[in-house]
């Protein structure tokens, strides 16, 4: 099976579909304790499941996570896009970037590109981001993107703050 995952390009980044060759990069990402915001830390087998799940989202739903690379390097440094486990109330705009790349505006650049791509290419125009109450960096990024705080929800027995992104025009 071949998946037709759109590629997004920004000034500094390429957002592309997941590849098995991303395993080492995501093992490093999910070994970092800071990956707790995205379900980590994870062992290498669980990382393999995450990568195949990301591809599976595209295959089964027609949308999913893009893996982020720098324009001049195909090494994955994070992800941004539509995350939608079966037990989520709706698809969400999710993002995560390796610690070495934080504070450079790259997470913002990737998340904005993913939000725009979700709206214009996939018809997902008013996504939320579900953020842990103590994840101040992600909350600040959502607010910088123009998201508005909504009432909290419970996901997998944990409180999540809901940040609703502005409604965008579909293609």
């Amino acid at each position: 099976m071949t998946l037709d995952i759109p590629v997004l390009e920004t000034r500094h980044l390429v957002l592309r579909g997941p590849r098995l060759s991303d395993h080492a990069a995501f093992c490093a990402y999910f070994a970092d304790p800071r990956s707790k915001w995205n379900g980590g830390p994870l062992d290498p087998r669980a990382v393999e499941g995450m990568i195949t799940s990301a591809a599976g989202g595209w295959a089964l739903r027609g949308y999913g996570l893009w893996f982020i690379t720098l324009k001049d390097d195909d090494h994955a440094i994070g992800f941004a896009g539509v995350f939608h486990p079966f037990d989520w109330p709706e698809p969400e705009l999710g993002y995560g970037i390796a610690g070495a790349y934080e504070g450079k505006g790259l997470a913002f650049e990737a998340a904005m590109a993913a939000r725009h791509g979700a709206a214009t290419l996939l018809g997902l125009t008013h996504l939320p981001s579900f953020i842990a109450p103590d994840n101040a960096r992600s909350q600040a990024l959502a607010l910088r993107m123009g998201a508005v705080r909504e009432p909290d929800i419970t996901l997998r027995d944990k409180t999540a703050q809901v940040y609703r992104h502005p409604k965008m025009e579909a293609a």
Side-chain angles (χ1 to χ4, degrees):
M1 173 188 336
T2 302
L3 298 176
D4 187 22
I5 301 173
V7 174
L8 309 178
E9 290 194 32
T10 69
R11 182 172 175 208
H12 301 103
L13 306 171
V14 174
L15 284 71
R16 58 157 173 80
R19 298 179 184 160
L20 289 176
S21 59
D22 296 324
H23 188 256
F26 279 101
C27 280
Y29 176 90
F30 281 105
D32 186 329
R34 294 167 56 259
S35 70
K36 70 180 182 179
W37 309 121
N38 301 113
L42 299 176
D43 66 39
R45 286 183 55 170
V47 171
E48 180 182 355
M50 174 272 199
I51 293 170
T52 57
S53 177
W58 286 102
L60 296 174
R61 295 188 185 273
Y63 55 80
L65 295 173
W66 283 280
F67 284 11
I68 305 165
T69 69
L70 298 173
K71 270 199 170 174
D72 59 353
D73 182 354
D74 197 44
H75 178 83
I77 64 168
F79 58 88
V82 184
F83 184 65
H84 193 181
F86 285 103
D87 59 340
W88 252 224
E90 62 183 308
E92 85 161 301
L93 179 67
Y95 41 81
I97 198 154
Y101 299 93
E102 281 187 347
K104 302 173 191 258
L106 298 176
F108 176 78
E109 188 174 328
M112 290 294 286
R115 184 175 79 183
H116 183 263
T120 60
L121 301 172
L122 309 171
L124 300 169
T125 61
H126 198 51
L127 295 169
S129 289
F130 303 131
I131 302 173
D134 52 346
N135 189 348
R137 290 185 76 99
S138 187
Q139 294 162 12
L141 178 57
L143 291 171
R144 182 175 173 207
M145 294 175 68
V148 175
R149 180 81 190 276
E150 292 184 351
D152 294 353
I153 63 170
T154 301
L155 293 173
R156 299 181 180 166
D157 299 323
K158 294 181 183 174
T159 298
Q161 295 179 341
V162 178
Y163 288 81
R164 179 75 54 184
H165 293 273
K167 186 165 181 135
M168 301 192 62
E169 293 297 319

